[in-house]
Amino acid sequence: MSTDIPTAVDATAARSAQRVLTRTPTDGEVLALVSGGHDSLSAMAVVRRSSRVDLSGIVHVNTGIGIPQTRTFVKERAKTLGLDYYEVGVPCGEPGQVHEYRRPHEEYPALIRKYGLPGPGAHKYMYWNLKEKPLRRFLNERSEPITLVSGVRRGESDRRMEHVDEEGISEYLGYTTVSPLVDFTGLDVRRYRNALDLPMNPVKERLEMSGECLCGAFATRGELRMVQLFYPAVYRRILCLEAMVGAHTATDDGPKKTYGEWGHDRLKDREQAARQDDQQMLLCDACESSCRGDDNQNCE
């Protein structure tokens, strides 16, 4: 069994990846969760290049508040590699929607209209509605056993490793989840990608985040300026959403004015516990570097 990992990658990390692949179930479907960040794309590549595991396809969650170029990049990678591509959570009414994996009241505009734009403590609720619920519905309707592939790494964050065992195996939404990069460092990921000349998501290269979710829970206003520079259409949409929230703050049942700005970084007292919930981070690799108190700034 070979993973075809370049020798530039640390030998311990390479052996760890082989152990993960040895423990990866081979029955049913093996689906890679790909956000568009370097880690998830590299983890997908490790599994695809394995002679033992047959990668079935790529799953990308469309949060409805992401940068379209990331979705395009992931979809094109799937096509180039001959893999099935599943885009989960296409907003209701948007062209291309096949299944309503996210309900209308769970859409980003509906959430912020009622509760305001999210701060750090509200990330949990954004995660549930924008990512976890539609993904769960998609997976639950599959007829075969499923194994998921994640880009979680041990050196990336203790919080995201909380539910991953020493061999890079965990369970997410009731499904076995394998993390072949479990012992890769950020440098190992870079060396792996460079050695194989793997295409990089231009959004990640420009913004230092995959861009599949711009809910703003862990964001700063400085990040919005970067979005304005490279993706002005997305920036204008966020301004429109701010204006919409601002209009609803004037109603009796609307959000407070303090929650009318994207990337406000305000935290309600009752949200403090939610901010520390490590289980919400598996699909939010870009958010981890923004968690206050986390010194690691190279999460994807």
Side-chain angles (χ1 to χ4, degrees):
M1 189 270 292
S2 172
T3 57
D4 292 329
I5 294 179
T7 56
V9 175
D10 178 77
T12 299
R15 287 194 296 270
S16 176
Q18 291 195 359
R19 288 195 301 269
V20 171
L21 292 171
T22 299
R23 295 183 61 192
T24 300
T26 56
D27 58 322
E29 294 184 292
V30 179
L31 300 173
L33 301 174
V34 178
S35 67
H38 295 339
D39 286 358
S40 61
L41 285 162
S42 298
M44 178 270 294
V46 169
V47 174
R48 180 181 174 272
R49 292 169 61 84
S50 166
S51 59
R52 179 181 184 275
V53 181
D54 184 15
L55 184 64
S56 309
I58 289 175
V59 179
H60 179 77
V61 179
N62 181 341
T63 63
I65 184 61
I67 296 176
Q69 287 86 340
T70 287
R71 297 195 297 274
T72 299
F73 175 82
V74 175
K75 185 175 182 178
E76 289 179 349
R77 285 300 296 149
K79 181 178 180 180
T80 299
L81 298 173
L83 296 170
D84 291 334
Y85 172 75
Y86 303 100
E87 187 173 312
V88 179
V90 178
C92 301
E94 185 172 304
Q97 179 192 18
V98 179
H99 300 285
E100 192 178 282
Y101 292 119
R102 189 185 302 109
R103 309 299 188 242
H105 67 278
E106 298 165 354
E107 300 285 2
Y108 186 73
L111 293 170
I112 63 173
R113 186 183 297 116
K114 184 174 182 180
Y115 302 107
L117 287 149
H123 175 266
K124 177 177 184 177
Y125 310 106
M126 290 292 146
Y127 176 85
W128 282 345
N129 288 288
L130 302 184
K131 293 187 176 183
E132 184 174 292
K133 288 180 182 179
L135 180 59
R136 184 191 297 273
R137 290 166 184 148
F138 165 78
L139 295 174
N140 287 349
E141 75 172 15
R142 311 295 292 178
S143 58
E144 296 184 64
I146 295 173
T147 299
L148 301 175
V149 178
S150 164
V152 171
R153 295 186 288 110
R154 193 185 314 280
E156 171 188 25
S157 169
D158 291 337
R159 292 178 67 197
R160 294 187 69 208
M161 284 298 300
E162 187 72 21
H163 300 279
V164 182
D165 71 14
E166 290 296 316
E167 297 298 317
I169 308 294
S170 61
E171 185 175 287
Y172 179 64
L173 302 181
Y175 299 93
T176 298
T177 303
V178 298
S179 304
L181 305 187
V182 61
D183 286 320
F184 276 51
T185 63
L187 180 59
D188 286 326
V189 174
R190 187 177 302 113
R191 286 173 171 171
Y192 179 81
R193 298 184 62 79
N194 289 343
L196 298 177
D197 196 24
L198 297 180
M200 297 187 184
N201 178 6
V203 178
K204 169 68 176 177
E205 292 295 285
R206 291 167 179 166
L207 301 182
E208 290 297 321
M209 58 182 176
S210 57
E212 100 285 10
C213 184
L214 293 180
C215 75
F218 285 121
T220 65
R221 296 300 285 182
E223 292 176 34
L224 189 57
R225 290 194 292 271
M226 291 295 292
V227 173
Q228 179 185 16
L229 177 63
F230 292 106
Y231 304 100
V234 176
Y235 170 75
R236 290 193 295 270
R237 185 184 178 217
I238 291 175
L239 292 187
C240 289
L241 290 171
E242 286 185 330
M244 178 195 73
V245 173
H248 282 272
T249 61
T251 63
D252 292 337
D253 59 347
K256 294 182 179 180
K257 291 183 179 180
T258 51
Y259 297 97
E261 186 178 72
W262 189 92
H264 57 70
D265 195 30
R266 295 184 180 90
L267 186 67
K268 300 175 183 177
D269 290 341
R270 64 182 176 82
E271 293 175 341
Q272 186 64 47
R275 182 177 183 170
Q276 304 304 324
D277 185 358
D278 56 274
Q279 293 188 8
Q280 63 185 285
M281 286 298 176
L282 184 75
L283 293 180
C284 287
D285 41 5
C287 291
E288 185 68 10
S289 63
S290 298
C291 294
R292 309 304 179 254
D294 189 340
D295 294 330
N296 191 316
Q297 297 296 312
N298 187 24
C299 291
E300 284 194 283

